[in-house]
Amino acid sequence: MKIAIYTLGCKVNQYETQAIETELTLRGHALVPFEGPADAYIINTCTVTAVSDHKSRQAIRRCRKYNPAAVVGVCGCYAQTDPQAVAALGVDLVSGTAGRLPFLDDLERLAAARTAASSDGPEPLVTVGNIMSQRSFEELPAGGLAGRTRAMLKVEDGCVNFCSYCIIPYARGPVRSLPLADAAGQARRLAEEGYRELVLTGIEISSWGQDFRDGTSLIDLIEAICAAAPGCRVRLGSLEPRTITAGFCRRAAALPNLCDHFHLSMQSGCDATLKRMNRKYDSARYYESISLLREFFDRPGITTDLIVGFPGETEEEFEATLAFLRRCAFSAMHIFPYSRREGTPGAKMPGQVLRAVKEERARRARSVAEELRRRYLEEQVGRTLSVLFEEEKDGLWRGHAPNYTEVTVSGQGLHNVERPVRITGVSGERLTGEPV
Ligand code: SF4
């Protein structure tokens, strides 16, 4: 049958959609564009903000227009946290963030039972279980998109940190990790398929291994994956500052194929705000992490996320954050105005910040981020970086260095090739250079 998929949200959702696509192809189905007729539609939803919920609902409503008789199955975080709201939209199947393969079985069964003449099915089948009691990691077919250089490898699901702004622990449940030997096996297979870079993803990969209760931790996994795929670069997804210790850095710096790019989730540079956010570190611990990274790696790329306008954030607190950003000298940042999320402690906190103030703070933070980004790019001039080339555009080849700067060179036939490049300049958001 012809199946169309629409995905909202983070890298984990994108990974899970890729896995669903691989599985559907293996089962003999054809993947078709979402904006057109299909026999079945899958919407993989997100609930990280109220806007994500809204976009998820819009996508669900939209697919009915392309084929009113199609079977519509909805999965993902929004479906997990509010299955009744999704069921009320006239869909056929509602699943959550676990049980992807049974979800596909159900979808196939419903499609086989449906005749073109009877588009009105019975009540939707809702298979959403209690995610809080989920204890095992669901291993899905790994892979990336055909022709791409980079594949994602999901090694973890769930989070128990309960940051006060975040709904994810309620959508994803407790920490579940992909066993080390399975992760190494997947890495080996992806390398054999021709991928040159693996990105370790999960909801909170810093907690990888916690559920094994045998002392294994993320650095053990990283070492195993780097060894299993020596011809691939390994890039880490978002880390919590607690992961970065001298022991971690010593072992990580000894891995020749580990990228020196560390995304260290920060959210605020002000201790009082971090406390209200229920983050488990203060700015001193955060700074210790980035100092350690700079001690063990040569000018690594350190990137972060920042939320501005969290409830109770005063102008002084925000200025403390701005000063801290400058001290940390990030190479790139994602900045978000706080978005009030029903069902989280933050939504009920006093001192909600006006939207105009949040937007103005986001603008100011972005201007600091741009200044820091520019400085980091300029520091790369004169270095030789190993660039993995991904695509050609306007006669120039583009790729990324291990520190996640984007580099362009002129050349030919560089797709999926890794080459040392001497960096000669900065052009907008990118570095320019010459292969050596
Ligand atoms: S660490 Fe905090 S922000 Fe990240 S998923 Fe867990 S609760 Fe959400």
Side-chain angles (χ1 to χ4, degrees):
M1 96 181 134
K2 288 186 190 148
I3 304 184
I5 310 183
Y6 192 87
T7 311
L8 294 112
C10 67
K11 287 212 167 87
V12 174
N13 257 20
Q14 287 165 26
Y15 170 88
E16 287 167 353
T17 290
Q18 277 179 18
I20 288 173
E21 286 175 348
T22 307
E23 180 65 24
L24 288 172
T25 310
L26 289 172
R27 293 185 186 197
H29 300 294
L31 299 169
V32 295
F34 190 79
E35 317 288 327
D39 303 310
Y41 293 87
I42 295 175
I43 298 99
N44 193 1
T45 59
C46 171
T47 192
V48 74
T49 63
V51 173
S52 321
D53 289 356
H54 177 68
K55 286 187 179 164
S56 299
R57 286 193 298 270
Q58 272 182 334
I60 295 166
R61 288 197 192 98
R62 209 161 66 231
C63 69
R64 281 273 177 233
K65 290 190 197 139
Y66 304 129
N67 179 7
V71 171
V72 178
V74 183
C75 59
C77 294
Y78 178 48
Q80 179 69 48
T81 50
D82 202 347
Q84 300 319 324
V86 172
L89 294 170
V91 305
D92 301 287
L93 174 62
V94 187
S95 174
T97 56
R100 305 291 174 157
L101 300 181
F103 167 68
L104 298 183
D105 298 339
D106 288 335
L107 192 85
E108 284 175 325
R109 202 168 38 75
L110 291 174
R114 160 125 348 149
T115 62
S118 66
S119 61
D120 292 333
E123 286 294 294
L125 173 63
V126 179
T127 61
V128 179
N130 177 5
I131 197 68
M132 292 304 173
S133 59
Q134 192 71 28
R135 290 288 177 270
S136 60
F137 184 89
E138 185 186 19
E139 194 170 341
L140 297 170
L145 297 176
R148 294 279 169 90
T149 53
R150 190 180 292 130
M152 287 185 275
L153 175 49
K154 183 182 161 193
V155 294
E156 186 271 347
D157 207 337
C159 178
V160 288
N161 289 338
F162 294 97
C163 301
S164 59
Y165 51 83
C166 182
I167 194 80
I168 296 304
Y170 310 94
R172 288 277 173 177
V175 172
R176 285 102 67 203
S177 310
L178 176 67
L180 195 134
D182 298 338
Q186 285 204 15
R188 204 172 298 117
R189 275 196 298 283
L190 290 168
E192 282 162 10
E193 280 174 32
Y195 291 102
R196 300 296 313 275
E197 184 173 305
L198 306 180
V199 185
L200 305 197
T201 46
I203 296 294
E204 205 253 312
I205 64 169
S206 278
S207 287
W208 181 90
Q210 208 179 73
D211 46 329
F212 300 146
R213 298 176 200 285
D214 63 358
T216 42
S217 69
L218 183 66
I219 189 66
D220 300 303
L221 175 77
I222 298 169
E223 285 177 342
I225 288 178
C226 284
C232 271
R233 310 201 299 201
V234 176
R235 194 178 291 285
L236 305 179
S238 180
L239 301 174
E240 290 293 313
R242 68 170 193 277
T243 305
I244 310 299
T245 60
F248 176 95
C249 290
R250 196 168 299 113
R251 289 169 67 182
L255 300 169
N257 51 339
L258 180 68
C259 291
D260 60 346
H261 166 216
F262 301 92
H263 185 88
L264 221 53
S265 184
M266 183 183 82
Q267 311 306 1
S268 170
C270 157
D271 290 341
T273 312
L274 285 170
K275 210 168 182 142
R276 289 196 301 279
M277 288 176 162
N278 196 29
R279 301 289 287 167
K280 312 290 187 316
Y281 53 86
D282 58 13
S283 56
R285 178 64 185 88
Y286 188 93
Y287 195 71
E288 185 190 329
S289 295
I290 58 171
S291 305
L292 279 167
L293 289 170
R294 290 193 169 121
E295 192 183 318
F296 283 87
F297 294 87
D298 178 19
R299 289 165 283 180
I302 301 180
T303 57
T304 200
D305 295 321
L306 172 70
I307 296 173
V308 298
F310 187 73
E313 186 186 70
T314 62
E315 178 60 24
E316 292 69 35
E317 289 184 354
F318 174 65
E319 279 174 13
T321 289
L322 285 187
F324 191 65
L325 298 183
R326 288 206 160 84
R327 231 178 121 210
C328 293
F330 294 108
S331 56
M333 299 180 60
H334 293 134
I335 295 158
F336 305 93
Y338 168 70
S339 167
R340 194 174 184 172
R341 191 71 192 81
E342 287 312 323
T344 62
K348 295 194 209 79
M349 282 184 187
Q352 298 287 328
V353 177
L354 291 174
R355 180 198 283 212
V357 174
K358 289 193 273 194
E359 281 168 5
E360 188 251 353
R361 287 182 188 166
R363 269 195 302 279
R364 284 160 67 196
R366 282 191 191 114
S367 132
V368 173
E370 275 162 30
E371 179 191 317
L372 298 175
R373 168 95 182 140
R374 181 95 203 154
R375 201 180 306 157
Y376 184 74
L377 291 176
E378 280 162 3
E379 274 172 18
Q380 308 304 308
V381 177
R383 295 184 77 186
T384 297
L385 301 174
S386 184
V387 179
L388 174 58
F389 289 98
E390 292 151 41
E391 57 169 7
E392 192 205 337
K393 216 169 189 182
D394 306 326
L396 290 174
W397 276 93
R398 287 184 189 179
H400 284 89
N403 63 16
Y404 212 53
T405 49
E406 200 178 346
V407 181
T408 60
V409 300
S410 46
Q412 280 183 341
L414 289 174
H415 179 69
N416 219 7
V417 171
E418 193 173 359
R419 279 272 164 81
V421 172
R422 199 172 63 80
I423 305 302
T424 52
V426 179
S427 169
E429 276 294 292
R430 299 192 185 94
L431 298 172
T432 52
E434 291 158 2
V436 289

